[in-house]
Amino acid sequence: MARGESGWLLDEFPYVRLGDGSRPLVVLPGATDPLFDGNYPRLAVHLLGRYYHRFTDDYTVYVISRPRGLEAGKTIRDMADDYARVLEEEIGTAAVWGLSMGGCIAQQLAVEHPTLVDELVLGVTGTRIAEGARERVDEMRRRAYDHDWQAIRAAIAAGMFSDWRRMVYPSMTASVGRFTLPTPAVPSDAWISIEALLDYDGRRSVGGIRAPTLVIGGENDPFFPPAILEETAEAIPDAELHVIQGARHGAFHTHKPTFERRILAFLDGR
């Protein structure tokens, strides 16, 4: 089991550190990140240690949340600049793995701060949300205004899973989750994050990425489908693409062994 610790980097960024490998691997979470208070209790550290255990022999894994209390109008590029401060002052150059919205931030981090990113993994993400998903994501934004966190989680769960969880998790999240799941420390962080994601379009900028890049996602992802994954990989000079058959937006959960093997092969080959 990977050794772990939690706390705050630069007194702003909630984080979990796992393992003691020689290479840093920084994980940037997705749009659900603001939906908890930012404190990683001991149980969460333990579970994340189990989740990332395949990486912690060779890497020190940092799962780094975004600050609580985001300014109105905060953009993906602003968030990338924030993470650059963390790397510069706390970790140094690292492999960066962005998931979903975190992948959009990771793209901009690699564009704006190329010396901080050794390798880039873009998981279930791309240069923009698919046009067909924008209405769904905008509905999540409206739900955030109403503080309806369970509805947001249910909508995300419906897009994530390709197995039995696709039927069970949305209803459980909207019912039992109302009493058991955490809530945001700062509610506005949720809609500010979703607005930043809706506004993001990296098609003109990702050509400036110099880090070797893996774009990996699901064949049936409603938010970042294969067309967006392909568009992203083609726009980045040194990128390879891997589409997992049958997977949706939660490919890193439902197809975890395949997802991890491909990332490790990519990272270990560099």
Side-chain angles (χ1 to χ4, degrees):
M1 177 59 61
R3 290 181 293 175
E5 65 177 28
S6 65
W8 299 75
L9 295 171
L10 304 181
D11 295 324
E12 296 179 62
F13 297 80
Y15 83 102
V16 173
R17 176 183 174 184
L18 305 163
D20 54 5
S22 60
R23 301 172 62 191
L25 173 60
V26 172
V27 180
L28 310 186
T32 58
D33 181 64
L35 299 186
F36 80 110
D37 64 10
N39 293 301
Y40 285 100
R42 186 180 298 274
L43 177 60
V45 175
H46 173 75
L47 293 175
L48 286 169
R50 293 178 62 88
Y51 194 86
Y52 289 103
H53 77 277
R54 294 190 64 185
F55 295 88
T56 51
D57 285 342
D58 296 324
Y59 297 88
T60 298
V61 178
Y62 296 84
V63 181
I64 307 178
S65 289
R66 291 174 281 285
R68 270 43 189 171
L70 299 175
E71 304 93 338
K74 191 91 168 177
T75 66
I76 294 294
R77 181 174 179 176
D78 294 334
M79 296 176 193
D81 290 340
D82 288 342
Y83 277 115
R85 288 195 295 115
V86 175
L87 290 172
E88 288 170 344
E89 299 183 35
E90 296 278 3
I91 298 171
T93 301
V96 177
W97 172 4
L99 282 166
S100 190
M101 176 180 168
C104 298
I105 299 169
Q107 294 167 46
Q108 286 306 116
L109 177 63
V111 169
E112 304 292 339
H113 307 275
T115 61
L116 296 175
V117 181
D118 272 338
E119 298 97 9
L120 181 63
V121 177
L122 302 178
V124 294
T125 190
T127 54
R128 58 192 173 110
I129 290 179
E131 287 299 320
R134 292 185 64 83
E135 183 175 348
R136 184 188 305 193
V137 176
D138 194 51
E139 174 62 21
M140 294 180 201
R141 177 183 60 82
R142 292 192 292 270
R143 294 287 190 173
Y145 290 149
D146 295 333
H147 296 195
D148 193 348
W149 317 123
Q150 285 67 40
I152 295 172
R153 288 190 173 102
I156 292 173
M160 286 184 66
F161 298 109
S162 53
D163 54 15
W164 59 270
R165 286 173 286 190
R166 186 180 178 190
M167 301 299 296
V168 174
Y169 275 26
S171 59
M172 286 183 60
T173 298
S175 56
V176 177
R178 190 172 301 277
F179 307 102
T180 59
L181 292 173
T183 57
V186 182
S188 61
D189 288 347
W191 65 75
I192 289 170
S193 296
I194 296 171
E195 287 168 356
L197 180 58
L198 284 167
D199 288 343
Y200 180 67
D201 187 336
R203 285 176 288 180
R204 293 186 177 182
S205 63
V206 297
I209 294 175
R210 294 295 173 259
T213 302
L214 171 66
V215 179
I216 180 169
E219 175 190 27
N220 298 318
D221 188 332
F223 304 110
F224 298 97
I228 298 293
L229 301 177
E230 292 165 7
E231 173 185 276
T232 303
E234 289 173 1
I236 298 172
D238 184 8
E240 52 191 87
L241 172 66
H242 187 82
V243 178
I244 300 176
Q245 300 303 303
R248 291 172 66 81
H249 192 58
F252 50 95
H253 289 311
T254 59
H255 296 68
K256 188 171 184 287
T258 301
F259 202 85
E260 292 177 335
R261 279 197 303 269
R262 189 65 196 85
I263 292 173
L264 282 167
F266 168 75
L267 294 174
D268 293 347
R270 297 293 170 176

